[in-house]
Amino acid sequence: MSHSQEHIQIIEYTPQYAQAVADMWNRSQVSWGGGSRIRSSDGVKRELQNAGNLKVFLAVDGEEVVGFCSFSQYQHDEGALYVPLLNVRPDYHGRKVGRDLILKAVETTVEMGWPRLDLFTWAGNTKAVPMYKKTGFFWEKKEDSVHLMNFIPAVLMTDALRPSLERLDWYADSKRKLEIRPDGRSENGFDFFEYAWEKDGTSLRVEFEKTGRGISLIETGEYAIHTEIDDHDLVFGSRYPVRYRIRNKTGEPLECTIRGRNDKTVQFALEQTVKVADTVVIEGEFELLPIQEDQSDWRTHPAVVSDWTINGRHAELRTGIAPKFPARVKLDVKNQEQYIGAGEEAFLTFENNFKEQAVFELEFPPSEFIQFENPRISIRIPAKGKTAVTVPYLLKDFGIFSENLVIKAIAEGSEPVSFTARIWGIFKGNTGRYGGDIVDHWVAVNGPYTMGLNKNNNELWTSHFQRSHHTSWTFPRIGKPYSPEFSKKKAEEVRIYPQGDAMVLEADYRSEDFPGMAFTAFSRLNASGIVERYFEVRNASVSVDSGGESLCLIDGFYHHSDGLVLPYDGRYYDLKDRFAAQYDDWDINRISENWLFSRNEKLSHGFCWEPSARLVKMEWYFGVEYELGGLAAGETVRTASTFLAIGTFPDWWDFRSFARKRRDPVQPLLQDHFELSVKGGNPFIVQDADVNIKQHRNQPLAGEMTLSLPETAPEVFHKTFNRDDALHSAVFALKSFVPGSIEPVR
């Protein structure tokens, strides 16, 4: 069925629409907080080429693009596609353009066989919430973001629901309340999202359990099936009951077959067939195996999964649970410089996940670099309680303590159980080189500097005692088209070792999107605070060439613009004003040298790349693009290096000399992004003169300007600039000028 309006069509983007897309963005600034970035056709082409979208949908009215919807794979969870960006031109608000774009994304999600579509919006965008909910999205309860999930694709792909959906329009017949608040019904730690439809005597109700991302309840006019689990948060190592309540509403024959299915750490082996006359409760039991790490609230949880046949039609029910260690145990070390030979204290925090009071016992193993004063710890914690224990220690050297400790748990009224948890802490000073595994990250330490590789998203970050994560590298992309696969694929192997005065972290990856292609990311942390990063890319096939296809690699990075010095159009701009330092206000193609430098209150951060490499713009960060060429079987290509300097160069000119590999004799003056000059900068003015004003960043002049002249001058100049006029410069002609002062007032 089609919900599109007459005259406005939903189509897929092709490069021929780049200028029209740029025009749409330029006319949509008010919708994004009043920004003033001016987009170009070439800029749109480059951004969309590098973005890694599966598709981009446009709403087109004649020759104009009036709406935009990007569409990609969701990088932070399994089983979902994603809408990174949705925009409707302001003069088309209220004309259902956003709705039609979202409906196209939902339709495409179904066509591609994915069960879910996600998106984010911002807390202030409440006017869009009813539209999102009407098109099937649920607003998840989160304090730090507005995350929405749409399960309509799973509904439409469930065979058992089709007889009802043949008589219902999932969009038009929805009975959901479109309230501007987060969704969800909470019960025993679970959150449930409900769809409901009704028309001409046909009704359908489907509930999804949030963490399992699956159907937990189905109710049609003929029957109802409901999953019941006593608690959401469950300690692993035990067996737990699950019940399925089936109700036949009609008295007509209803036969159900249920088969349990294992899912991650949940073992579930139920198999039963029942004929339901009225109400039947099927009881089963699942086992929760040990987990290796705490479950992320951002990811699909292990679930109790069952496959159903209901009068010959199929459905999958899945209810997520949160597997818990018997206790969450964490070692907290002070994030400050430490000293060898000095006594210090850390804190060991226990969080009891049992519903009963419990005793926990552990022992720290001997270590070459740290001596724990009381290595044996035994503590009694109330049910669901939390307690911290002081852990005195003496440092013999600096290092990472990261051990899998066996912890004995004795819950009241239960037999003792043992579990393993990784306990880690970084004991850091101004010297020392070491590295290791700290659960979610691989880290290498060199004196006060730490470099870490995030296991979940392959971000490479750096930190210092005084500042952290000011600049970071994102996951690499191989293409073209560029693949986002390494946004969540863990490295196959990681090696950390000292080399000279540096610490090296090597990570091996293998591509599935480009079969046979593999690469190693090399990251070298020097004692001076300089980090070098490069890649060795190889065709790992024995006999298969890359088919002559020329591959590229983009190494993405984010550089904070706090106190930015920017080389641009052959000049050097001092962007102390954080509003002027927004990268979107500057044309990436006019960055004229191979470096960026930010002066921070405590530590400077400089980032540079080889001049021969190409700087590109990604969604919200930069990237350095390398041409790899067509690799023969067994061939390896090394990329050029990028460098990050943390506090190494206090002055921008020193870092510029490092990046350029030469020091020019004269250091130029830094310039302001807003320039005022008289008679082209000629200091000798006799009578007439032109006053020129120019905005160098990609933003039109806006506001009022007054030129204050000497009393002997006849003119007083006042000018109002409107953003819509798109002026970047203006000229004031001064006649019968008598030398004096000119003071711009902005």
Side-chain angles (χ1 to χ4, degrees):
M1 94 192 84
S2 174
H3 300 278
S4 295
Q5 303 174 82
E6 187 179 0
H7 306 307
I8 299 177
Q9 295 182 310
I10 307 300
I11 64 171
E12 284 192 38
Y13 165 83
T14 60
Q16 74 185 71
Y17 286 97
Q19 183 59 56
V21 171
D23 294 340
M24 175 210 67
W25 285 120
N26 294 335
R27 295 177 63 177
S28 300
Q29 300 288 1
V30 67
S31 299
W32 298 87
S36 53
R37 177 187 180 190
I38 303 300
R39 309 237 189 170
S40 67
S41 173
D42 288 343
V44 166
K45 288 179 182 178
R46 287 192 301 270
E47 286 186 33
L48 294 181
Q49 182 183 49
N50 298 332
N53 293 311
L54 296 172
K55 297 176 184 291
V56 172
F57 301 116
L58 305 178
V60 178
D61 189 355
E63 299 297 319
E64 297 182 77
V65 171
V66 299
F68 177 98
C69 178
S70 52
F71 184 78
S72 67
Q73 186 173 339
Y74 188 43
Q75 299 173 6
H76 303 294
D77 193 17
E78 62 195 71
L81 298 180
Y82 178 55
V83 174
L85 199 55
L86 177 71
N87 179 68
V88 176
R89 214 172 72 186
D91 53 326
Y92 277 75
H93 287 184
R95 296 177 61 177
K96 311 297 184 184
V97 175
R99 178 202 68 177
D100 290 351
L101 287 165
I102 288 294
L103 289 175
K104 181 63 175 178
V106 172
E107 176 186 326
T108 307
T109 303
V110 174
E111 291 172 354
M112 297 179 70
W114 289 75
R116 192 175 100 238
L117 180 67
D118 284 21
L119 64 78
F120 287 86
T121 188
W122 64 97
N125 191 29
T126 55
K127 68 177 184 180
V129 168
M131 182 274 287
Y132 287 134
K133 290 191 175 187
K134 181 66 174 174
T135 54
F137 284 92
F138 293 107
W139 179 354
E140 181 184 8
K141 295 175 184 175
K142 280 187 179 295
E143 293 183 359
D144 55 350
S145 65
V146 181
H147 177 224
L148 299 102
M149 295 185 285
N150 191 326
F151 298 100
I152 288 296
V155 170
L156 298 178
M157 293 189 293
T158 298
D159 181 47
L161 304 181
R162 286 175 183 164
S164 297
L165 291 171
E166 287 172 357
R167 300 189 293 273
L168 295 166
D169 182 319
W170 74 261
Y171 179 84
D173 299 330
S174 172
K175 299 303 178 183
R176 281 183 64 192
K177 292 182 179 180
L178 307 181
E179 299 173 305
I180 302 177
R181 62 180 182 85
D183 294 296
R185 173 181 66 85
S186 297
E187 182 180 316
N188 297 330
F190 296 93
D191 285 320
F192 298 100
F193 299 137
E194 179 186 284
Y195 292 115
W197 298 274
E198 187 175 349
K199 180 184 179 183
D200 298 336
T202 298
S203 64
L204 175 63
R205 186 164 72 98
V206 182
E207 273 193 348
F208 282 79
E209 191 280 316
K210 184 183 78 170
T211 62
R213 316 305 203 223
I215 297 173
S216 60
L217 177 150
I218 296 173
E219 183 174 4
T220 71
E222 291 75 37
Y223 62 86
I225 300 173
H226 182 205
T227 310
E228 297 177 351
I229 299 175
D230 294 333
D231 290 290
H232 182 250
D233 295 358
L234 300 173
V235 175
F236 67 67
S238 298
R239 302 183 68 86
Y240 297 94
V242 56
R243 296 174 297 279
Y244 295 99
R245 193 174 298 275
I246 311 169
R247 181 163 60 97
N248 186 346
K249 297 182 177 184
T250 65
E252 298 295 325
L254 178 65
E255 182 174 292
C256 297
T257 298
I258 173 175
R259 296 180 178 84
R261 195 169 84 224
N262 297 340
D263 183 73
K264 299 177 181 175
T265 58
V266 175
Q267 301 288 298
F268 186 36
L270 176 68
E271 183 166 354
Q272 193 169 336
T273 298
V274 293
K275 294 183 178 180
V276 183
D278 184 10
T279 299
V280 171
V281 177
I282 297 177
E283 297 187 356
E285 193 176 60
F286 62 92
E287 182 180 5
L288 191 53
L289 301 180
I291 58 175
Q292 301 301 313
E293 57 188 32
D294 289 324
Q295 182 66 46
S296 169
D297 197 35
W298 286 101
R299 295 178 179 271
T300 302
H301 286 202
V304 180
V305 182
S306 52
D307 294 315
W308 287 69
T309 303
I310 308 165
N311 278 351
R313 290 190 170 271
H314 304 292
E316 177 192 85
L317 269 61
R318 55 184 301 126
T319 301
I321 50 93
K324 299 289 186 180
F325 288 89
R328 186 171 186 265
V329 186
K330 182 182 178 184
L331 184 63
D332 290 311
V333 181
K334 294 179 181 178
N335 185 27
Q336 62 188 42
E337 181 183 356
Q338 302 202 29
Y339 304 95
I340 295 173
E344 190 54 89
E345 291 181 344
F347 297 91
L348 198 61
T349 303
F350 290 83
E351 189 172 347
N352 179 10
N353 288 321
F354 287 113
K355 292 183 178 180
E356 302 80 24
Q357 177 178 265
V359 173
F360 297 92
E361 299 175 350
L362 65 81
E363 182 174 357
F364 287 103
S367 170
E368 293 183 356
F369 77 92
I370 188 170
Q371 179 180 329
F372 293 102
E373 185 176 307
N374 302 308
R376 293 183 181 179
I377 292 176
S378 178
I379 185 168
R380 184 181 301 274
I381 306 175
K384 297 288 185 177
K386 186 175 181 179
T387 304
V389 179
T390 302
V391 182
Y393 64 88
L394 181 71
L395 278 184
K396 304 174 186 177
D397 200 351
F398 302 117
I400 296 175
F401 179 86
S402 182
E403 299 285 345
N404 287 321
L405 300 188
V406 177
I407 303 174
K408 185 177 181 181
I410 310 167
E412 198 170 70
S414 302
E415 293 295 319
V417 296
S418 294
F419 66 98
T420 301
R422 180 169 285 273
I423 309 299
W424 66 270
I426 302 178
F427 298 83
K428 185 174 171 183
N430 270 311
T431 61
R433 290 179 293 124
Y434 42 90
D437 179 353
I438 58 169
V439 183
D440 287 332
H441 304 263
W442 293 97
V443 295
V445 180
N446 198 339
Y449 303 99
T450 303
M451 173 176 66
L453 178 66
N454 188 314
K455 294 181 182 179
N456 297 314
N457 60 17
N458 290 307
E459 176 187 6
L460 184 77
W461 52 267
T462 58
S463 68
H464 184 277
F465 286 133
Q466 300 177 30
R467 187 67 186 254
S468 63
H469 296 242
H470 194 79
T471 298
S472 59
W473 284 271
T474 66
F475 65 92
R477 297 174 184 254
I478 289 182
K480 298 176 181 177
Y482 289 106
S483 166
E485 65 177 312
F486 297 108
S487 64
K488 57 186 177 181
K489 182 186 294 184
K490 294 183 179 180
E492 293 185 341
E493 184 179 354
V494 173
R495 297 171 294 280
I496 302 173
Y497 56 88
Q499 186 180 76
D501 69 346
M503 285 296 294
V504 179
L505 189 155
E506 298 180 6
D508 295 336
Y509 300 89
R510 186 176 297 271
S511 175
E512 295 178 11
D513 290 347
F514 294 88
M517 302 307 299
F519 64 90
T520 300
F522 292 85
S523 304
R524 178 184 174 92
L525 174 62
N526 292 283
S528 63
I530 295 177
V531 183
E532 179 185 9
R533 174 170 160 101
Y534 64 91
F535 297 85
E536 287 185 357
V537 185
R538 57 193 174 279
N539 184 344
S541 302
V542 176
S543 58
V544 180
D545 292 350
S546 62
E549 181 181 7
S550 182
L551 292 176
C552 297
L553 182 146
I554 286 185
D555 191 19
F557 70 91
Y558 173 74
H559 181 82
H560 198 284
S561 58
D562 187 8
L564 180 68
V565 176
L566 181 70
Y568 194 81
D569 283 344
R571 299 182 177 187
Y572 306 96
Y573 290 93
D574 186 358
L575 304 180
K576 294 178 183 178
D577 181 350
R578 65 186 180 90
F579 295 105
Q582 300 298 314
Y583 285 121
D584 281 348
D585 287 345
W586 299 86
D587 185 347
I588 188 174
N589 291 315
R590 293 164 66 185
I591 295 177
S592 48
E593 294 184 359
N594 60 315
W595 56 271
L596 301 168
F597 186 82
S598 294
R599 296 161 296 182
N600 186 259
E601 292 180 1
K602 295 183 178 179
L603 287 174
S604 65
H605 279 242
F607 190 90
C608 66
W609 55 96
E610 284 296 311
S612 60
R614 183 185 177 198
L615 186 67
V616 296
K617 187 75 169 61
M618 312 296 285
E619 293 100 333
W620 51 269
Y621 53 90
F622 289 119
V624 180
E625 185 177 55
Y626 303 103
E627 296 281 349
L628 304 176
L631 275 65
E635 183 181 0
T636 297
V637 174
R638 182 196 187 281
T639 69
S641 296
T642 52
F643 294 89
L644 166 64
I646 310 169
T648 314
F649 301 94
D651 182 74
W652 72 272
W653 188 250
D654 293 334
F655 180 72
R656 188 247 186 204
S657 301
F658 170 80
R660 305 291 288 175
K661 297 183 174 62
R662 70 170 191 270
R663 178 175 287 275
D664 293 335
V666 178
Q667 180 174 345
L669 294 175
L670 292 175
Q671 301 192 20
D672 191 88
H673 66 94
F674 183 87
E675 180 183 355
L676 184 148
S677 63
V678 180
K679 206 169 184 179
N682 183 354
F684 304 104
I685 301 172
V686 177
Q687 188 171 2
D688 298 340
D690 288 341
V691 177
N692 296 276
I693 58 173
K694 186 173 183 179
Q695 172 76 278
H696 287 283
R697 59 188 173 126
N698 195 16
Q699 182 183 107
L701 294 169
E704 296 183 356
M705 168 165 281
T706 300
L707 294 183
S708 174
L709 305 176
E711 294 181 0
T712 53
E715 300 106 336
V716 175
F717 290 90
H718 183 84
K719 176 73 172 178
T720 298
F721 295 98
N722 295 313
R723 190 181 305 277
D724 293 342
D725 293 335
L727 293 176
H728 288 77
S729 62
V731 177
F732 291 84
L734 302 182
K735 303 295 182 181
S736 303
F737 179 76
V738 176
S741 63
I742 298 177
E743 299 177 2
V745 178
R746 281 178 268 169

